[in-house]
Amino acid sequence: MHLATCRTGKVFILYDADSLCDANLTPQIDPLLFSPAHWREAGRVLGEAPGRGSSLFLDADGAQWVLRPYRRGGLVARFARQRYLWTGLERTRAFRELRLTAELYARGLPVPRPVAAAVTRHGLCYEAALITVRITAARSLADRLIEGSASDALLEAVGRTIRRFHDTGLDHVDLNARNLLVDAEERVWLIDLDRCRLRTPGSWQEANLRRLDRSLAKFGAGEAGATIRRGYADVTTAWRG
């Protein structure tokens, strides 16, 4: 994977050149790639994921992508739902998330392949969006819990997957049952790395697990936490996923 940057007016784009260049290595970059309205008008929206960001599943000429605009939550969203304070391009949430995702992907960890991130500057603020490759036929752990199809084997696999990320140093600040996906082969994936970072071992690891425990309880599956932790503690198999 080779990350490159380009600029079109107020829009700065960080992209995977292996995904968005033609045979002559010419970048196929257009700010419209990050416009939900553009994809809707073209009739190429395949579906939509839950959440405040309203991620869209896209038909991208044979590939499937996920477009996620950055949206604020909480009280601040009442005043600036889409805009964030500009403190430098490489400090924007989209650029940081794409670079982190690319690093984890390169290490062989189960994260979506990043495609591109766009940042549009508006003076002291900016808006942003991220595109990744869609994990096809994947469903959230939350959905599996709701329908009662999350077996002990799957939950232990969730724990082993989290342990892999923790051993790599990933502090996932929003570890919840919606951000853990399970594909058709029961492989577990981790998504939404916004504001996440790589750190040395510490109390943040247990904080991640406690956050997941609270999420499991919201879906009526508080008892699943113990099984997940059993898989997490199984260091002899953690790297088999």
Side-chain angles (χ1 to χ4, degrees), residues 139-156 158 182 186 216 221 223-224 227-228:
R139 302 174 61 207
S140 71
L141 176 62
D143 289 339
R144 295 289 298 267
L145 292 170
I146 290 170
E147 71 178 21
S149 65
S151 66
D152 284 356
L154 173 58
L155 294 174
E156 289 181 4
V158 169
V182 184
E186 297 286 276
L216 297 172
E223 71 286 350
T227 309
I228 290 174

PDB file of all heavy atoms in Angstrom, residues 139-156 158 182 186 216 221 223-224 227-228:
ATOM      1  N   ARG A 139     -21.595  -8.695   9.484  1.00  0.00           N
ATOM      2  CA  ARG A 139     -22.616  -8.135  10.352  1.00  0.00           C
ATOM      3  C   ARG A 139     -21.972  -7.778  11.683  1.00  0.00           C
ATOM      4  O   ARG A 139     -20.961  -8.369  12.083  1.00  0.00           O
ATOM      5  CB  ARG A 139     -23.745  -9.145  10.567  1.00  0.00           C
ATOM      6  CG  ARG A 139     -24.400  -9.603   9.271  1.00  0.00           C
ATOM      7  CD  ARG A 139     -25.402 -10.691   9.542  1.00  0.00           C
ATOM      8  NE  ARG A 139     -26.468 -10.219  10.415  1.00  0.00           N
ATOM      9  CZ  ARG A 139     -27.166 -11.019  11.211  1.00  0.00           C
ATOM     10  NH1 ARG A 139     -26.901 -12.319  11.265  1.00  0.00           N
ATOM     11  NH2 ARG A 139     -28.136 -10.526  11.953  1.00  0.00           N
ATOM     12  N   SER A 140     -22.558  -6.822  12.360  1.00  0.00           N
ATOM     13  CA  SER A 140     -21.974  -6.401  13.632  1.00  0.00           C
ATOM     14  C   SER A 140     -22.201  -7.459  14.706  1.00  0.00           C
ATOM     15  O   SER A 140     -23.166  -8.239  14.655  1.00  0.00           O
ATOM     16  CB  SER A 140     -22.577  -5.074  14.083  1.00  0.00           C
ATOM     17  OG  SER A 140     -23.924  -5.251  14.504  1.00  0.00           O
ATOM     18  N   LEU A 141     -21.307  -7.478  15.665  1.00  0.00           N
ATOM     19  CA  LEU A 141     -21.488  -8.357  16.822  1.00  0.00           C
ATOM     20  C   LEU A 141     -22.803  -8.022  17.520  1.00  0.00           C
ATOM     21  O   LEU A 141     -23.495  -8.920  18.021  1.00  0.00           O
ATOM     22  CB  LEU A 141     -20.317  -8.205  17.791  1.00  0.00           C
ATOM     23  CG  LEU A 141     -20.420  -8.991  19.097  1.00  0.00           C
ATOM     24  CD1 LEU A 141     -20.483 -10.494  18.847  1.00  0.00           C
ATOM     25  CD2 LEU A 141     -19.250  -8.643  20.027  1.00  0.00           C
ATOM     26  N   ALA A 142     -23.175  -6.743  17.528  1.00  0.00           N
ATOM     27  CA  ALA A 142     -24.438  -6.341  18.155  1.00  0.00           C
ATOM     28  C   ALA A 142     -25.611  -7.066  17.518  1.00  0.00           C
ATOM     29  O   ALA A 142     -26.501  -7.579  18.220  1.00  0.00           O
ATOM     30  CB  ALA A 142     -24.617  -4.824  18.029  1.00  0.00           C
ATOM     31  N   ASP A 143     -25.634  -7.132  16.187  1.00  0.00           N
ATOM     32  CA  ASP A 143     -26.726  -7.826  15.501  1.00  0.00           C
ATOM     33  C   ASP A 143     -26.746  -9.309  15.850  1.00  0.00           C
ATOM     34  O   ASP A 143     -27.825  -9.902  16.043  1.00  0.00           O
ATOM     35  CB  ASP A 143     -26.595  -7.661  13.990  1.00  0.00           C
ATOM     36  CG  ASP A 143     -26.905  -6.239  13.538  1.00  0.00           C
ATOM     37  OD1 ASP A 143     -27.579  -5.512  14.296  1.00  0.00           O
ATOM     38  OD2 ASP A 143     -26.461  -5.867  12.439  1.00  0.00           O
ATOM     39  N   ARG A 144     -25.566  -9.905  15.941  1.00  0.00           N
ATOM     40  CA  ARG A 144     -25.497 -11.321  16.278  1.00  0.00           C
ATOM     41  C   ARG A 144     -25.987 -11.568  17.706  1.00  0.00           C
ATOM     42  O   ARG A 144     -26.659 -12.579  17.986  1.00  0.00           O
ATOM     43  CB  ARG A 144     -24.059 -11.825  16.107  1.00  0.00           C
ATOM     44  CG  ARG A 144     -23.532 -11.789  14.673  1.00  0.00           C
ATOM     45  CD  ARG A 144     -24.194 -12.845  13.799  1.00  0.00           C
ATOM     46  NE  ARG A 144     -23.924 -14.188  14.266  1.00  0.00           N
ATOM     47  CZ  ARG A 144     -22.903 -14.939  13.814  1.00  0.00           C
ATOM     48  NH1 ARG A 144     -22.090 -14.472  12.875  1.00  0.00           N
ATOM     49  NH2 ARG A 144     -22.703 -16.163  14.285  1.00  0.00           N
ATOM     50  N   LEU A 145     -25.691 -10.660  18.594  1.00  0.00           N
ATOM     51  CA  LEU A 145     -26.160 -10.791  19.975  1.00  0.00           C
ATOM     52  C   LEU A 145     -27.670 -10.641  20.054  1.00  0.00           C
ATOM     53  O   LEU A 145     -28.346 -11.389  20.771  1.00  0.00           O
ATOM     54  CB  LEU A 145     -25.477  -9.743  20.851  1.00  0.00           C
ATOM     55  CG  LEU A 145     -23.976  -9.906  21.080  1.00  0.00           C
ATOM     56  CD1 LEU A 145     -23.407  -8.674  21.762  1.00  0.00           C
ATOM     57  CD2 LEU A 145     -23.678 -11.161  21.903  1.00  0.00           C
ATOM     58  N   ILE A 146     -28.208  -9.685  19.310  1.00  0.00           N
ATOM     59  CA  ILE A 146     -29.648  -9.433  19.346  1.00  0.00           C
ATOM     60  C   ILE A 146     -30.431 -10.650  18.873  1.00  0.00           C
ATOM     61  O   ILE A 146     -31.470 -11.012  19.441  1.00  0.00           O
ATOM     62  CB  ILE A 146     -29.992  -8.196  18.501  1.00  0.00           C
ATOM     63  CG1 ILE A 146     -29.455  -6.929  19.185  1.00  0.00           C
ATOM     64  CG2 ILE A 146     -31.495  -8.083  18.275  1.00  0.00           C
ATOM     65  CD1 ILE A 146     -29.541  -5.689  18.323  1.00  0.00           C
ATOM     66  N   GLU A 147     -29.933 -11.306  17.819  1.00  0.00           N
ATOM     67  CA  GLU A 147     -30.653 -12.458  17.286  1.00  0.00           C
ATOM     68  C   GLU A 147     -30.288 -13.762  17.986  1.00  0.00           C
ATOM     69  O   GLU A 147     -30.855 -14.815  17.680  1.00  0.00           O
ATOM     70  CB  GLU A 147     -30.407 -12.597  15.790  1.00  0.00           C
ATOM     71  CG  GLU A 147     -29.013 -13.056  15.427  1.00  0.00           C
ATOM     72  CD  GLU A 147     -28.826 -13.216  13.923  1.00  0.00           C
ATOM     73  OE1 GLU A 147     -29.604 -12.617  13.166  1.00  0.00           O
ATOM     74  OE2 GLU A 147     -27.896 -13.947  13.526  1.00  0.00           O
ATOM     75  N   GLY A 148     -29.343 -13.700  18.932  1.00  0.00           N
ATOM     76  CA  GLY A 148     -28.976 -14.879  19.711  1.00  0.00           C
ATOM     77  C   GLY A 148     -28.106 -15.872  18.965  1.00  0.00           C
ATOM     78  O   GLY A 148     -28.090 -17.064  19.313  1.00  0.00           O
ATOM     79  N   SER A 149     -27.345 -15.410  17.949  1.00  0.00           N
ATOM     80  CA  SER A 149     -26.509 -16.324  17.172  1.00  0.00           C
ATOM     81  C   SER A 149     -25.015 -16.175  17.455  1.00  0.00           C
ATOM     82  O   SER A 149     -24.191 -16.632  16.677  1.00  0.00           O
ATOM     83  CB  SER A 149     -26.757 -16.112  15.672  1.00  0.00           C
ATOM     84  OG  SER A 149     -26.333 -14.822  15.269  1.00  0.00           O
ATOM     85  N   ALA A 150     -24.687 -15.531  18.572  1.00  0.00           N
ATOM     86  CA  ALA A 150     -23.277 -15.379  18.946  1.00  0.00           C
ATOM     87  C   ALA A 150     -22.878 -16.540  19.857  1.00  0.00           C
ATOM     88  O   ALA A 150     -23.137 -16.531  21.063  1.00  0.00           O
ATOM     89  CB  ALA A 150     -23.046 -14.040  19.640  1.00  0.00           C
ATOM     90  N   SER A 151     -22.251 -17.540  19.282  1.00  0.00           N
ATOM     91  CA  SER A 151     -21.849 -18.724  20.049  1.00  0.00           C
ATOM     92  C   SER A 151     -20.664 -18.403  20.945  1.00  0.00           C
ATOM     93  O   SER A 151     -19.982 -17.384  20.789  1.00  0.00           O
ATOM     94  CB  SER A 151     -21.468 -19.849  19.090  1.00  0.00           C
ATOM     95  OG  SER A 151     -20.299 -19.487  18.365  1.00  0.00           O
ATOM     96  N   ASP A 152     -20.393 -19.302  21.879  1.00  0.00           N
ATOM     97  CA  ASP A 152     -19.222 -19.140  22.737  1.00  0.00           C
ATOM     98  C   ASP A 152     -17.950 -19.110  21.904  1.00  0.00           C
ATOM     99  O   ASP A 152     -17.009 -18.361  22.200  1.00  0.00           O
ATOM    100  CB  ASP A 152     -19.149 -20.264  23.768  1.00  0.00           C
ATOM    101  CG  ASP A 152     -20.148 -20.080  24.905  1.00  0.00           C
ATOM    102  OD1 ASP A 152     -20.838 -19.033  24.931  1.00  0.00           O
ATOM    103  OD2 ASP A 152     -20.239 -20.978  25.768  1.00  0.00           O
ATOM    104  N   ALA A 153     -17.896 -19.939  20.851  1.00  0.00           N
ATOM    105  CA  ALA A 153     -16.710 -19.968  19.993  1.00  0.00           C
ATOM    106  C   ALA A 153     -16.491 -18.610  19.333  1.00  0.00           C
ATOM    107  O   ALA A 153     -15.348 -18.121  19.234  1.00  0.00           O
ATOM    108  CB  ALA A 153     -16.854 -21.057  18.935  1.00  0.00           C
ATOM    109  N   LEU A 154     -17.579 -17.982  18.890  1.00  0.00           N
ATOM    110  CA  LEU A 154     -17.452 -16.657  18.282  1.00  0.00           C
ATOM    111  C   LEU A 154     -17.010 -15.631  19.310  1.00  0.00           C
ATOM    112  O   LEU A 154     -16.131 -14.806  19.041  1.00  0.00           O
ATOM    113  CB  LEU A 154     -18.781 -16.241  17.656  1.00  0.00           C
ATOM    114  CG  LEU A 154     -18.839 -14.801  17.128  1.00  0.00           C
ATOM    115  CD1 LEU A 154     -17.770 -14.562  16.077  1.00  0.00           C
ATOM    116  CD2 LEU A 154     -20.225 -14.480  16.576  1.00  0.00           C
ATOM    117  N   LEU A 155     -17.612 -15.663  20.477  1.00  0.00           N
ATOM    118  CA  LEU A 155     -17.259 -14.691  21.507  1.00  0.00           C
ATOM    119  C   LEU A 155     -15.798 -14.837  21.929  1.00  0.00           C
ATOM    120  O   LEU A 155     -15.103 -13.840  22.157  1.00  0.00           O
ATOM    121  CB  LEU A 155     -18.179 -14.847  22.715  1.00  0.00           C
ATOM    122  CG  LEU A 155     -19.659 -14.512  22.462  1.00  0.00           C
ATOM    123  CD1 LEU A 155     -20.495 -14.846  23.685  1.00  0.00           C
ATOM    124  CD2 LEU A 155     -19.827 -13.047  22.071  1.00  0.00           C
ATOM    125  N   GLU A 156     -15.314 -16.062  22.013  1.00  0.00           N
ATOM    126  CA  GLU A 156     -13.902 -16.259  22.329  1.00  0.00           C
ATOM    127  C   GLU A 156     -13.015 -15.728  21.210  1.00  0.00           C
ATOM    128  O   GLU A 156     -11.938 -15.165  21.461  1.00  0.00           O
ATOM    129  CB  GLU A 156     -13.624 -17.734  22.592  1.00  0.00           C
ATOM    130  CG  GLU A 156     -14.215 -18.237  23.905  1.00  0.00           C
ATOM    131  CD  GLU A 156     -13.909 -19.704  24.160  1.00  0.00           C
ATOM    132  OE1 GLU A 156     -13.172 -20.301  23.345  1.00  0.00           O
ATOM    133  OE2 GLU A 156     -14.407 -20.234  25.168  1.00  0.00           O
ATOM    134  N   VAL A 158     -13.769 -13.209  19.369  1.00  0.00           N
ATOM    135  CA  VAL A 158     -13.785 -11.765  19.580  1.00  0.00           C
ATOM    136  C   VAL A 158     -12.701 -11.384  20.595  1.00  0.00           C
ATOM    137  O   VAL A 158     -11.935 -10.435  20.385  1.00  0.00           O
ATOM    138  CB  VAL A 158     -15.169 -11.291  20.064  1.00  0.00           C
ATOM    139  CG1 VAL A 158     -15.111  -9.842  20.550  1.00  0.00           C
ATOM    140  CG2 VAL A 158     -16.202 -11.434  18.945  1.00  0.00           C
ATOM    141  N   VAL A 182     -18.465  -9.412  12.094  1.00  0.00           N
ATOM    142  CA  VAL A 182     -18.251 -10.845  11.883  1.00  0.00           C
ATOM    143  C   VAL A 182     -18.632 -11.160  10.445  1.00  0.00           C
ATOM    144  O   VAL A 182     -19.758 -10.891  10.022  1.00  0.00           O
ATOM    145  CB  VAL A 182     -19.103 -11.685  12.852  1.00  0.00           C
ATOM    146  CG1 VAL A 182     -18.793 -13.173  12.672  1.00  0.00           C
ATOM    147  CG2 VAL A 182     -18.870 -11.246  14.301  1.00  0.00           C
ATOM    148  N   GLU A 186     -17.059 -16.295   9.912  1.00  0.00           N
ATOM    149  CA  GLU A 186     -16.945 -16.117  11.359  1.00  0.00           C
ATOM    150  C   GLU A 186     -15.622 -15.465  11.778  1.00  0.00           C
ATOM    151  O   GLU A 186     -15.202 -15.592  12.928  1.00  0.00           O
ATOM    152  CB  GLU A 186     -17.111 -17.454  12.109  1.00  0.00           C
ATOM    153  CG  GLU A 186     -18.475 -18.102  11.928  1.00  0.00           C
ATOM    154  CD  GLU A 186     -19.576 -17.393  12.713  1.00  0.00           C
ATOM    155  OE1 GLU A 186     -19.753 -17.674  13.900  1.00  0.00           O
ATOM    156  OE2 GLU A 186     -20.278 -16.554  12.100  1.00  0.00           O
ATOM    157  N   LEU A 216     -22.081  -4.455  25.661  1.00  0.00           N
ATOM    158  CA  LEU A 216     -22.754  -5.757  25.669  1.00  0.00           C
ATOM    159  C   LEU A 216     -24.012  -5.706  26.529  1.00  0.00           C
ATOM    160  O   LEU A 216     -25.054  -6.261  26.160  1.00  0.00           O
ATOM    161  CB  LEU A 216     -21.793  -6.824  26.201  1.00  0.00           C
ATOM    162  CG  LEU A 216     -20.530  -7.082  25.380  1.00  0.00           C
ATOM    163  CD1 LEU A 216     -19.599  -8.022  26.136  1.00  0.00           C
ATOM    164  CD2 LEU A 216     -20.876  -7.650  24.005  1.00  0.00           C
ATOM    165  N   ALA A 221     -26.682  -8.569  26.646  1.00  0.00           N
ATOM    166  CA  ALA A 221     -25.764  -9.707  26.614  1.00  0.00           C
ATOM    167  C   ALA A 221     -24.578  -9.475  27.541  1.00  0.00           C
ATOM    168  O   ALA A 221     -23.428  -9.761  27.195  1.00  0.00           O
ATOM    169  CB  ALA A 221     -25.279  -9.962  25.190  1.00  0.00           C
ATOM    170  N   GLU A 223     -23.605 -11.091  29.980  1.00  0.00           N
ATOM    171  CA  GLU A 223     -22.867 -12.316  30.325  1.00  0.00           C
ATOM    172  C   GLU A 223     -21.839 -12.688  29.268  1.00  0.00           C
ATOM    173  O   GLU A 223     -20.933 -13.488  29.523  1.00  0.00           O
ATOM    174  CB  GLU A 223     -23.859 -13.473  30.498  1.00  0.00           C
ATOM    175  CG  GLU A 223     -24.517 -13.992  29.216  1.00  0.00           C
ATOM    176  CD  GLU A 223     -25.582 -13.074  28.646  1.00  0.00           C
ATOM    177  OE1 GLU A 223     -25.957 -12.111  29.342  1.00  0.00           O
ATOM    178  OE2 GLU A 223     -26.035 -13.336  27.519  1.00  0.00           O
ATOM    179  N   ALA A 224     -21.945 -12.118  28.065  1.00  0.00           N
ATOM    180  CA  ALA A 224     -20.994 -12.443  26.992  1.00  0.00           C
ATOM    181  C   ALA A 224     -19.594 -11.925  27.300  1.00  0.00           C
ATOM    182  O   ALA A 224     -18.605 -12.442  26.768  1.00  0.00           O
ATOM    183  CB  ALA A 224     -21.486 -11.860  25.664  1.00  0.00           C
ATOM    184  N   THR A 227     -17.082 -14.585  28.495  1.00  0.00           N
ATOM    185  CA  THR A 227     -16.597 -15.470  27.431  1.00  0.00           C
ATOM    186  C   THR A 227     -15.589 -14.753  26.550  1.00  0.00           C
ATOM    187  O   THR A 227     -14.573 -15.336  26.143  1.00  0.00           O
ATOM    188  CB  THR A 227     -17.774 -15.974  26.575  1.00  0.00           C
ATOM    189  OG1 THR A 227     -18.776 -16.504  27.434  1.00  0.00           O
ATOM    190  CG2 THR A 227     -17.319 -17.061  25.620  1.00  0.00           C
ATOM    191  N   ILE A 228     -15.850 -13.491  26.254  1.00  0.00           N
ATOM    192  CA  ILE A 228     -14.893 -12.699  25.475  1.00  0.00           C
ATOM    193  C   ILE A 228     -13.573 -12.584  26.220  1.00  0.00           C
ATOM    194  O   ILE A 228     -12.491 -12.750  25.635  1.00  0.00           O
ATOM    195  CB  ILE A 228     -15.481 -11.304  25.166  1.00  0.00           C
ATOM    196  CG1 ILE A 228     -16.622 -11.441  24.151  1.00  0.00           C
ATOM    197  CG2 ILE A 228     -14.402 -10.362  24.641  1.00  0.00           C
ATOM    198  CD1 ILE A 228     -17.365 -10.144  23.884  1.00  0.00           C
TER     199      ILE A 228
END
